[in-house]
């Protein structure tokens, strides 16, 4: 049993989870300076930010959900379904509730700081339980935690099926359809596209509110399920890495129409089509780009990053608390640093690096040593009993 658990460990997924969180740090810091609306903005913005941020927007969270789907498949292997459900509730629901009352409110406060004499005066409005933006009650960036909780629970029947001998014929069929580069690229992307064609006319806006966000709820759930499916079949998983060169060619090629349509929508170039036609074409291309880039990153990670490092498990343990904290710290630091007479580049790197060091320090000093804080931030509690050397628990981490 010990050998089996150790062999299931995917160090490439740990490394990719770390990379995805670092990308998220830079992305949310960039929101202070690009031309899109956000909670706190620098007085001076930069057009250049949106050109590198737009592509990250379409695959950063799908990548995390694909990784979480694979991790969820691993996590159920050592538990009964009821144990798994209880563990998911503890690891996700408790931090979500804690975050909504402690971590998220400062973000709303700094967005509306001119309306209140103090934080205490503002904080009372949280308990009016009026949803943001009309009120002050929200999960903001913790939508990911809320969605992951729901995904984990509703996916239990799928997980049970994929782990049972009854799934052998299904897995063999999936391998036939997805084992080639064309199948691996086009069939999942087409499936995701069909869900969006069916749902986006009725739910066009991405709200992260769960109820009423069914198009994007389904969009992200597809990546979660494909993560489970791909990891459940070792031969299919191996095929992803073997086809990495074909996947990378497709991922680079799709940048041409993606940025072509985007440049039209941002008035840099003019294409001989109506704005509605270009917007639809951009949305379709963006869906394919999301899948192409996620599966390509997974492929290269599998090939180059499946290597253990002495610090990797410790780093990954802190990624979930880092995710919970990072946006609040960015907004707090950004509000004050944006008032300094510095260049955009200096402010960007100051906020990014100070957020990184602040969150890491808070985790090491205030979360990691104390079980109460570990519970509130979704970290596995410390116990006196140590696991056997070389055996690590496979768990879902964001």
């Amino acid at each position: 049993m010990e050998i089996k658990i150790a062999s299931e460990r995917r160090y490439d997924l740990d490394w990719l989870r770390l990379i995805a969180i670092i990308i998220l740090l830079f992305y949310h810091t960039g929101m202070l300076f690009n031309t899109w609306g956000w909670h706190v903005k620098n007085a001076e913005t930069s057009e250049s930010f949106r050109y590198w941020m737009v592509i990250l927007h379409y695959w950063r969270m799908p990548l995390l959900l694909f990784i979480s789907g694979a991790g969820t498949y691993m996590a159920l292997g050592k538990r009964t379904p009821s144990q798994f459900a209880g563990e998911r509730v503890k690891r996700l629901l408790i931090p979500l509730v804690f975050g909504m009352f402690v971590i998220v409110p400062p973000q709303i406060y700094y967005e509306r700081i001119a309306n209140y004499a103090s934080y205490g005066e503002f904080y009372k409005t949280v308990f009016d339980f009026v949803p943001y933006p009309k009120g002050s009650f929200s999960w903001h960036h913790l939508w990911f935690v809320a969605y992951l909780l729901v995904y984990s629970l509703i996916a239990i029947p799928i997980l049970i099926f994929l782990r049972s001998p009854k799934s052998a014929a299904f897995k063999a069929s999936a391998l036939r359809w997805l084992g080639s580069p064309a199948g691996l690229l086009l069939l999942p992307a087409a499936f995701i596209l069909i869900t969006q064609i069916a749902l986006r006319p009725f739910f066009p806006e991405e709200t992260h509110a769960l109820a009423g966000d069914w198009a994007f709820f389904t969009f992200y759930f597809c990546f979660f399920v494909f993560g489970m499916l791909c990891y459940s079949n070792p031969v299919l998983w191996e095929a992803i890495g073997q086809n990495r060169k074909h996947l990378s060619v497709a991922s680079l090629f799709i940048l041409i129409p993606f940025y072509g349509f985007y440049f039209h929508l941002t008035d840099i170039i003019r294409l001989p089509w109506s704005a509605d036609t270009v917007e639809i074409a951009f949305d379709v291309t963006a869906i394919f780009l999301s899948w192409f880039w996620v599966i390509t990153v997974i492929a290269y990670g599998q090939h180059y990053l499946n290597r253990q490092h002495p610090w990797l498990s410790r780093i990954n343990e802190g990624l979930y608390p880092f995710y919970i904290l990072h946006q609040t710290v960015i907004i707090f630091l950004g509000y004050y640093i944006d008032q300094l007479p510095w260049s955009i580049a200096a402010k960007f790197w100051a906020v990014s690096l100070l957020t990184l060091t602040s969150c890491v320090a808070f985790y090491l000093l205030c979360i990691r040593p104390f079980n109460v804080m570990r519970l509130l931030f979704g970290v596995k509690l410390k116990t006196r009993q140590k696991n056997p050397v070389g055996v690590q628990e496979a768990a879902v981490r964001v």
Side-chain angles (χ1 to χ4, degrees):
M1 176 62 70
E2 293 178 0
I3 294 175
K4 181 180 180 181
I5 296 169
S7 66
E8 284 191 358
R9 189 69 184 181
R10 293 299 310 188
Y11 299 108
D12 52 330
L13 295 181
D14 289 340
W15 284 114
L16 289 176
R17 189 183 294 110
L18 170 61
I19 292 169
I21 293 295
I22 296 299
I23 289 173
L24 202 63
L25 166 66
F26 291 134
Y27 181 89
H28 281 151
T29 303
M31 291 297 293
L32 296 166
F33 308 104
N34 69 8
T35 57
W36 306 335
W38 208 49
H39 312 293
V40 174
K41 300 295 293 185
N42 191 48
E44 180 187 2
T45 58
S46 172
E47 292 282 343
S48 63
F49 271 71
R50 65 179 179 178
Y51 300 126
W52 62 265
M53 290 179 65
V54 67
I55 186 173
L56 294 181
H57 173 73
Y58 285 100
W59 65 268
R60 58 191 176 87
M61 299 309 293
L63 175 63
L64 275 175
L65 283 159
F66 186 99
I67 294 170
S68 295
T72 299
Y73 179 85
M74 288 187 277
L76 183 62
K78 296 179 61 182
R79 301 172 176 88
T80 65
S82 60
Q83 289 173 334
F84 171 80
E87 187 264 352
R88 291 299 85 193
V89 169
K90 183 175 73 173
R91 295 282 297 275
L92 296 170
L93 183 60
I94 292 175
L96 176 62
V97 174
F98 172 73
M100 291 175 70
F101 285 100
V102 178
I103 305 299
V104 170
Q107 300 181 30
I108 304 172
Y109 169 67
Y110 278 102
E111 181 180 345
R112 303 170 177 173
I113 192 170
N115 300 333
Y116 299 96
S118 66
Y119 183 74
E121 179 186 340
F122 157 79
Y123 192 67
K124 297 176 183 177
T125 66
V126 174
F127 295 91
D128 295 333
F129 297 109
V130 178
Y132 179 91
K134 291 184 178 180
S136 304
F137 191 62
S138 175
W139 51 43
H140 270 37
H141 68 296
L142 300 183
W143 70 267
F144 175 76
V145 180
Y147 281 40
L148 187 57
L149 173 61
V150 177
Y151 292 161
S152 299
L153 297 180
I154 65 177
I156 289 177
I158 304 174
L159 289 167
I160 294 173
F161 171 72
L162 289 175
R163 281 196 165 272
S164 73
K166 296 178 181 179
S167 66
F170 172 78
K171 289 179 180 178
S173 178
L175 179 62
R176 286 195 299 270
W177 285 98
L178 302 177
S180 67
L184 191 57
L185 285 164
L186 298 178
L187 292 181
F191 179 84
I192 297 170
L193 176 62
I194 290 170
T195 69
Q196 299 307 291
I197 291 174
L199 292 171
R200 284 200 193 181
F202 304 100
F203 309 101
E205 298 296 327
E206 184 175 4
T207 66
H208 297 157
L210 190 58
D213 191 33
W214 301 122
F216 288 92
F217 176 89
T218 304
F219 173 79
Y220 291 119
F221 186 54
C222 288
F223 286 90
F224 183 82
V225 171
F226 278 123
M228 293 191 301
L229 173 62
C230 291
Y231 190 77
S232 71
N233 189 329
V235 181
L236 176 57
W237 187 261
E238 186 73 17
I240 294 173
Q242 291 174 347
N243 290 315
R244 62 190 180 279
K245 293 182 179 179
H246 297 92
L247 303 180
S248 64
V249 170
S251 296
L252 293 174
F253 179 78
I254 203 168
L255 292 177
I256 298 173
F258 176 81
Y259 274 109
F261 296 138
Y262 185 70
F263 289 156
H264 174 97
L265 295 173
T266 53
D267 295 323
I268 294 178
I269 64 174
R270 299 305 302 174
L271 298 174
W273 302 307
S274 68
D276 289 342
T277 299
V278 173
E279 187 169 358
I280 292 172
F282 175 77
D283 289 341
V284 171
T285 304
I287 289 171
F288 278 82
L289 179 140
S290 297
W291 174 253
F292 285 11
W293 276 69
V294 166
I295 202 64
T296 299
V297 170
I298 291 293
Y300 276 90
Q302 178 191 137
H303 187 74
Y304 291 106
L305 298 179
N306 194 24
R307 293 170 175 81
Q308 188 178 10
H309 187 279
W311 290 94
L312 185 58
S313 61
R314 297 182 183 182
I315 291 173
N316 269 270
E317 182 184 68
L319 289 182
Y320 188 14
F322 185 94
Y323 177 84
I324 293 171
L325 290 168
H326 82 283
Q327 184 164 301
T328 297
V329 177
I330 287 172
I331 290 174
F332 169 76
L333 292 172
Y335 176 80
Y336 294 104
I337 290 178
D338 284 350
Q339 300 176 40
L340 300 175
W342 296 355
S343 67
I344 288 179
K347 293 178 180 180
F348 174 83
W349 288 109
V351 174
S352 297
L353 297 178
L354 285 173
T355 298
L356 177 63
T357 54
S358 299
C359 291
V360 170
F362 187 83
Y363 166 71
L364 292 175
L365 298 175
C366 301
I367 299 176
R368 189 169 185 266
F370 308 108
N371 268 345
V372 172
M373 293 295 285
R374 293 171 76 94
L375 176 66
L376 294 175
F377 282 89
V379 182
K380 185 180 178 182
L381 301 184
K382 284 186 173 182
T383 59
R384 293 184 179 181
Q385 182 180 3
K386 295 182 179 179
N387 290 329
V389 175
V391 178
Q392 301 181 31
E393 178 185 2
V396 180
R397 300 186 183 93
V398 291

